[in-house]
Amino acid sequence: MKKAALLFIGLIISLSSFSQQITIGDNKGAVTFEEYDPKSTLVVDKNPKTRSKYPFIDVHNHQYAMGETRDNVDKLIPEMDKLNMRILVNLSGRGWTKDADKATKTLSDNVTNSKLYPGRFAVFTNVDFDSINETGWSEKAAKILEEDVKLRGAVGLKVYKNLGFSVKNTDGSLVRVDDPRIDAVWAKAGELGIPVIIHSADPASFWEPLNQFNERWLELKTHPGRKKDVTKGDFGFEEIIAQQHNIIRKHKGTKFISAHMGWFPNNLGKLDSLLTAMPNMYVEIGAVIAELGRQPRTSNKFFTKWQDRILFGKDSWVPSEYATYFRVLETEDEYFQYHKKYHAFWPMYGIGLSDDVLKKVYYKNALKIIPRLDKSGFPE
């Protein structure tokens, strides 16, 4: 009996020692975090959506080659129809070229091709900030914006995140989002009655240490260029966000749509206070549905409260990914997978918006603040 007891104790000690040898981070012969992709055994109701309940307007899309050939437009329509997308807003009207004449032609070509299917497309213009240090830039930029809207058919202005990230002054320092030289542009947008979709900063985690506590660790590992570092001259997250808010407060007559929910989809209490303080601020949901889908009850309350200030946007043109947006917004499904692991390793939950709120997010709010959109094809 004594010998058997000793053997049992020895076995327990041996197993304990073995278990202690397997530690988090030891991937020798083991599955890595990147590879780990468990299939849920949870059995719950499933209501996948490949088509939206109501026609919708995607206010955040990029179609860089829209103006190059008719085929580039023709092939969009079947995909849009499958999704129930009534209007696609191309935010990349002027493209990326620094050649002013070429950029103007790109915008004109994009608008021309957008008219091949009347009522289905809208085009926003852009501003060339790379020439901001040139004499007379403010007046010239405002004049080009006015001509783009009045003469070339643009219906809004999109500002990329290069403002605050890479546009520089003559001394090599970064140009602030609230640089006074840009005031003429913000004011002109208000005068013209067009909205400004502005992308400032990125997820706050991109500024955090790249360690086991960073929620976006996998994304930063697979996309190292997204990591920010204030010690290397980058503005801090709070700095860039504050700069954006400064211009929204200063230009009360201009409607600003803060892209990606202003990078506060993970802090809806903070976003609530911002929308309260700035009545001319709107938000769109592009690339942040993963944040909304992990807090369904809080998201539902937020959307219900701010139903007049939230617009639908997706950002990247990957038709299959819209299904996640539809399912999160429309259903009350539980524990389903997001479409990109490096954005979100957590599951989604449907927030179950009411029909009235859905209609506003899908199309009514966009029709309200973006001029010259075709209102036919949408229910009341």
Short mmCIF file of all heavy atoms in Angstrom, two decimals, residues 231-262:
data_model
loop_
_atom_site.label_atom_id
_atom_site.label_comp_id
_atom_site.label_asym_id
_atom_site.label_seq_id
_atom_site.Cartn_x
_atom_site.Cartn_y
_atom_site.Cartn_z
N THR A 231 8.27 59.05 -30.46
CA THR A 231 9.70 59.35 -30.31
C THR A 231 10.38 59.53 -31.66
O THR A 231 11.49 60.05 -31.74
CB THR A 231 10.42 58.24 -29.53
OG1 THR A 231 10.41 57.02 -30.30
CG2 THR A 231 9.75 57.98 -28.19
N LYS A 232 9.68 59.12 -32.72
CA LYS A 232 10.23 59.29 -34.07
C LYS A 232 9.54 60.42 -34.84
O LYS A 232 9.66 60.52 -36.06
CB LYS A 232 10.09 57.97 -34.85
CG LYS A 232 10.92 56.84 -34.26
CD LYS A 232 10.78 55.56 -35.09
CE LYS A 232 11.63 54.44 -34.51
NZ LYS A 232 11.49 53.17 -35.28
N GLY A 233 8.80 61.25 -34.10
CA GLY A 233 8.20 62.41 -34.73
C GLY A 233 6.72 62.32 -35.01
O GLY A 233 6.10 63.29 -35.46
N ASP A 234 6.11 61.16 -34.76
CA ASP A 234 4.68 61.03 -34.99
C ASP A 234 3.89 61.83 -33.94
O ASP A 234 4.31 61.93 -32.78
CB ASP A 234 4.24 59.56 -34.89
CG ASP A 234 4.81 58.69 -36.00
OD1 ASP A 234 5.06 59.24 -37.09
OD2 ASP A 234 5.00 57.49 -35.77
N PHE A 235 2.77 62.39 -34.35
CA PHE A 235 1.85 62.94 -33.37
C PHE A 235 1.29 61.78 -32.54
O PHE A 235 1.16 60.66 -33.04
CB PHE A 235 0.67 63.65 -34.05
CG PHE A 235 1.00 64.98 -34.67
CD1 PHE A 235 0.63 65.26 -35.97
CD2 PHE A 235 1.66 65.97 -33.94
CE1 PHE A 235 0.92 66.49 -36.54
CE2 PHE A 235 1.95 67.20 -34.49
CZ PHE A 235 1.59 67.46 -35.81
N GLY A 236 0.95 62.05 -31.30
CA GLY A 236 0.28 61.05 -30.49
C GLY A 236 -1.17 60.90 -30.91
O GLY A 236 -1.73 61.78 -31.58
N PHE A 237 -1.79 59.80 -30.53
CA PHE A 237 -3.20 59.57 -30.87
C PHE A 237 -4.07 60.72 -30.38
O PHE A 237 -4.88 61.28 -31.14
CB PHE A 237 -3.67 58.25 -30.26
CG PHE A 237 -5.15 58.00 -30.40
CD1 PHE A 237 -5.67 57.55 -31.61
CD2 PHE A 237 -6.03 58.23 -29.35
CE1 PHE A 237 -7.04 57.33 -31.76
CE2 PHE A 237 -7.39 58.00 -29.48
CZ PHE A 237 -7.90 57.56 -30.69
N GLU A 238 -3.91 61.08 -29.11
CA GLU A 238 -4.73 62.14 -28.54
C GLU A 238 -4.51 63.46 -29.25
O GLU A 238 -5.44 64.26 -29.42
CB GLU A 238 -4.45 62.28 -27.05
CG GLU A 238 -4.87 61.09 -26.20
CD GLU A 238 -3.85 59.95 -26.23
OE1 GLU A 238 -2.78 60.13 -26.85
OE2 GLU A 238 -4.13 58.89 -25.63
N GLU A 239 -3.27 63.71 -29.68
CA GLU A 239 -2.97 64.97 -30.37
C GLU A 239 -3.73 65.10 -31.68
O GLU A 239 -4.36 66.13 -31.97
CB GLU A 239 -1.47 65.05 -30.67
CG GLU A 239 -0.57 65.34 -29.49
CD GLU A 239 0.89 65.47 -29.94
OE1 GLU A 239 1.54 64.43 -30.17
OE2 GLU A 239 1.36 66.61 -30.09
N ILE A 240 -3.66 64.04 -32.50
CA ILE A 240 -4.32 64.11 -33.81
C ILE A 240 -5.83 64.21 -33.64
O ILE A 240 -6.50 65.00 -34.33
CB ILE A 240 -3.97 62.87 -34.67
CG1 ILE A 240 -2.47 62.78 -34.90
CG2 ILE A 240 -4.70 62.95 -36.01
CD1 ILE A 240 -2.06 61.60 -35.75
N ILE A 241 -6.39 63.43 -32.74
CA ILE A 241 -7.83 63.48 -32.51
C ILE A 241 -8.25 64.87 -32.05
O ILE A 241 -9.26 65.43 -32.50
CB ILE A 241 -8.25 62.41 -31.48
CG1 ILE A 241 -8.02 60.99 -32.05
CG2 ILE A 241 -9.70 62.60 -31.08
CD1 ILE A 241 -8.83 60.68 -33.28
N ALA A 242 -7.48 65.46 -31.15
CA ALA A 242 -7.80 66.81 -30.65
C ALA A 242 -7.74 67.83 -31.79
O ALA A 242 -8.56 68.75 -31.86
CB ALA A 242 -6.84 67.21 -29.53
N GLN A 243 -6.79 67.67 -32.69
CA GLN A 243 -6.66 68.57 -33.83
C GLN A 243 -7.90 68.49 -34.72
O GLN A 243 -8.41 69.52 -35.20
CB GLN A 243 -5.40 68.24 -34.63
CG GLN A 243 -4.10 68.55 -33.90
CD GLN A 243 -2.89 67.94 -34.59
OE1 GLN A 243 -2.93 67.62 -35.78
NE2 GLN A 243 -1.80 67.77 -33.85
N GLN A 244 -8.38 67.27 -34.96
CA GLN A 244 -9.60 67.12 -35.76
C GLN A 244 -10.78 67.81 -35.07
O GLN A 244 -11.55 68.54 -35.71
CB GLN A 244 -9.94 65.65 -35.98
CG GLN A 244 -11.16 65.45 -36.87
CD GLN A 244 -11.70 64.03 -36.84
OE1 GLN A 244 -12.67 63.74 -36.14
NE2 GLN A 244 -11.09 63.13 -37.61
N HIS A 245 -10.91 67.61 -33.79
CA HIS A 245 -12.03 68.20 -33.06
C HIS A 245 -11.95 69.73 -33.06
O HIS A 245 -12.98 70.41 -33.04
CB HIS A 245 -12.08 67.64 -31.64
CG HIS A 245 -12.35 66.18 -31.59
ND1 HIS A 245 -12.16 65.41 -30.47
CD2 HIS A 245 -12.78 65.31 -32.56
CE1 HIS A 245 -12.47 64.15 -30.72
NE2 HIS A 245 -12.83 64.07 -31.99
N ASN A 246 -10.73 70.25 -33.07
CA ASN A 246 -10.56 71.70 -33.12
C ASN A 246 -11.21 72.30 -34.37
O ASN A 246 -11.87 73.35 -34.30
CB ASN A 246 -9.08 72.07 -33.08
CG ASN A 246 -8.45 71.86 -31.72
OD1 ASN A 246 -9.15 71.76 -30.70
ND2 ASN A 246 -7.13 71.79 -31.67
N ILE A 247 -11.02 71.64 -35.52
CA ILE A 247 -11.58 72.21 -36.75
C ILE A 247 -13.09 72.04 -36.80
O ILE A 247 -13.80 72.88 -37.34
CB ILE A 247 -10.92 71.62 -38.01
CG1 ILE A 247 -11.22 70.13 -38.16
CG2 ILE A 247 -9.42 71.88 -38.02
CD1 ILE A 247 -10.80 69.54 -39.48
N ILE A 248 -13.58 70.94 -36.22
CA ILE A 248 -15.03 70.74 -36.20
C ILE A 248 -15.70 71.81 -35.33
O ILE A 248 -16.74 72.36 -35.70
CB ILE A 248 -15.38 69.32 -35.69
CG1 ILE A 248 -14.81 68.26 -36.65
CG2 ILE A 248 -16.89 69.15 -35.56
CD1 ILE A 248 -14.99 66.82 -36.17
N ARG A 249 -15.08 72.12 -34.20
CA ARG A 249 -15.63 73.16 -33.32
C ARG A 249 -15.52 74.54 -33.96
O ARG A 249 -16.43 75.37 -33.83
CB ARG A 249 -14.88 73.16 -31.99
CG ARG A 249 -15.15 71.94 -31.10
CD ARG A 249 -14.56 72.15 -29.72
NE ARG A 249 -14.77 71.00 -28.87
CZ ARG A 249 -13.88 70.02 -28.70
NH1 ARG A 249 -12.72 70.06 -29.34
NH2 ARG A 249 -14.14 69.01 -27.90
N LYS A 250 -14.42 74.78 -34.64
CA LYS A 250 -14.17 76.10 -35.23
C LYS A 250 -15.09 76.39 -36.41
O LYS A 250 -15.55 77.52 -36.58
CB LYS A 250 -12.71 76.21 -35.66
CG LYS A 250 -12.31 77.58 -36.17
CD LYS A 250 -10.82 77.64 -36.45
CE LYS A 250 -10.39 79.03 -36.88
NZ LYS A 250 -8.92 79.09 -37.14
N HIS A 251 -15.37 75.37 -37.22
CA HIS A 251 -16.16 75.56 -38.44
C HIS A 251 -17.54 74.94 -38.26
O HIS A 251 -17.88 73.91 -38.85
CB HIS A 251 -15.41 74.95 -39.63
CG HIS A 251 -14.09 75.61 -39.89
ND1 HIS A 251 -13.98 76.74 -40.66
CD2 HIS A 251 -12.84 75.30 -39.46
CE1 HIS A 251 -12.70 77.11 -40.71
NE2 HIS A 251 -12.00 76.25 -39.98
N LYS A 252 -18.35 75.62 -37.46
CA LYS A 252 -19.67 75.10 -37.10
C LYS A 252 -20.64 75.04 -38.29
O LYS A 252 -21.63 74.33 -38.26
CB LYS A 252 -20.27 75.94 -35.98
CG LYS A 252 -19.50 75.84 -34.67
CD LYS A 252 -20.14 76.70 -33.59
CE LYS A 252 -19.51 76.46 -32.22
NZ LYS A 252 -18.07 76.77 -32.20
N GLY A 253 -20.34 75.81 -39.33
CA GLY A 253 -21.20 75.80 -40.50
C GLY A 253 -20.87 74.72 -41.50
O GLY A 253 -21.52 74.61 -42.55
N THR A 254 -19.89 73.89 -41.19
CA THR A 254 -19.49 72.78 -42.07
C THR A 254 -19.83 71.46 -41.41
O THR A 254 -19.57 71.26 -40.22
CB THR A 254 -17.97 72.84 -42.35
OG1 THR A 254 -17.64 74.10 -42.94
CG2 THR A 254 -17.54 71.73 -43.29
N LYS A 255 -20.39 70.54 -42.18
CA LYS A 255 -20.71 69.21 -41.65
C LYS A 255 -19.50 68.30 -41.85
O LYS A 255 -19.03 68.11 -42.98
CB LYS A 255 -21.94 68.63 -42.35
CG LYS A 255 -23.25 69.35 -42.01
CD LYS A 255 -24.42 68.67 -42.69
CE LYS A 255 -25.76 69.28 -42.25
NZ LYS A 255 -25.87 70.69 -42.63
N PHE A 256 -19.01 67.74 -40.76
CA PHE A 256 -17.87 66.82 -40.80
C PHE A 256 -18.35 65.41 -40.48
O PHE A 256 -19.07 65.20 -39.49
CB PHE A 256 -16.80 67.23 -39.80
CG PHE A 256 -16.08 68.50 -40.15
CD1 PHE A 256 -16.56 69.73 -39.73
CD2 PHE A 256 -14.91 68.46 -40.90
CE1 PHE A 256 -15.89 70.90 -40.04
CE2 PHE A 256 -14.23 69.62 -41.23
CZ PHE A 256 -14.72 70.86 -40.80
N ILE A 257 -17.95 64.46 -41.30
CA ILE A 257 -18.20 63.05 -41.03
C ILE A 257 -16.88 62.45 -40.58
O ILE A 257 -15.95 62.30 -41.38
CB ILE A 257 -18.73 62.30 -42.26
CG1 ILE A 257 -19.99 62.97 -42.81
CG2 ILE A 257 -19.01 60.84 -41.92
CD1 ILE A 257 -20.44 62.43 -44.17
N SER A 258 -16.76 62.14 -39.31
CA SER A 258 -15.52 61.59 -38.78
C SER A 258 -15.45 60.11 -39.15
O SER A 258 -16.28 59.30 -38.70
CB SER A 258 -15.46 61.76 -37.26
OG SER A 258 -14.19 61.41 -36.76
N ALA A 259 -14.50 59.77 -40.01
CA ALA A 259 -14.39 58.40 -40.51
C ALA A 259 -14.09 57.43 -39.38
O ALA A 259 -13.46 57.78 -38.38
CB ALA A 259 -13.30 58.33 -41.58
N HIS A 260 -14.57 56.20 -39.55
CA HIS A 260 -14.29 55.11 -38.61
C HIS A 260 -14.78 55.45 -37.19
O HIS A 260 -14.14 55.12 -36.21
CB HIS A 260 -12.80 54.77 -38.61
CG HIS A 260 -12.22 54.63 -39.98
ND1 HIS A 260 -12.60 53.64 -40.85
CD2 HIS A 260 -11.30 55.38 -40.64
CE1 HIS A 260 -11.93 53.78 -41.99
NE2 HIS A 260 -11.16 54.83 -41.89
N MET A 261 -15.93 56.14 -37.14
CA MET A 261 -16.53 56.56 -35.87
C MET A 261 -15.54 57.35 -35.01
O MET A 261 -15.55 57.26 -33.77
CB MET A 261 -17.09 55.36 -35.10
CG MET A 261 -18.24 54.68 -35.81
SD MET A 261 -19.17 53.50 -34.81
CE MET A 261 -20.31 54.57 -33.92
N GLY A 262 -14.68 58.12 -35.71
CA GLY A 262 -13.74 58.97 -35.00
C GLY A 262 -12.71 58.21 -34.20
O GLY A 262 -12.04 58.78 -33.35
#
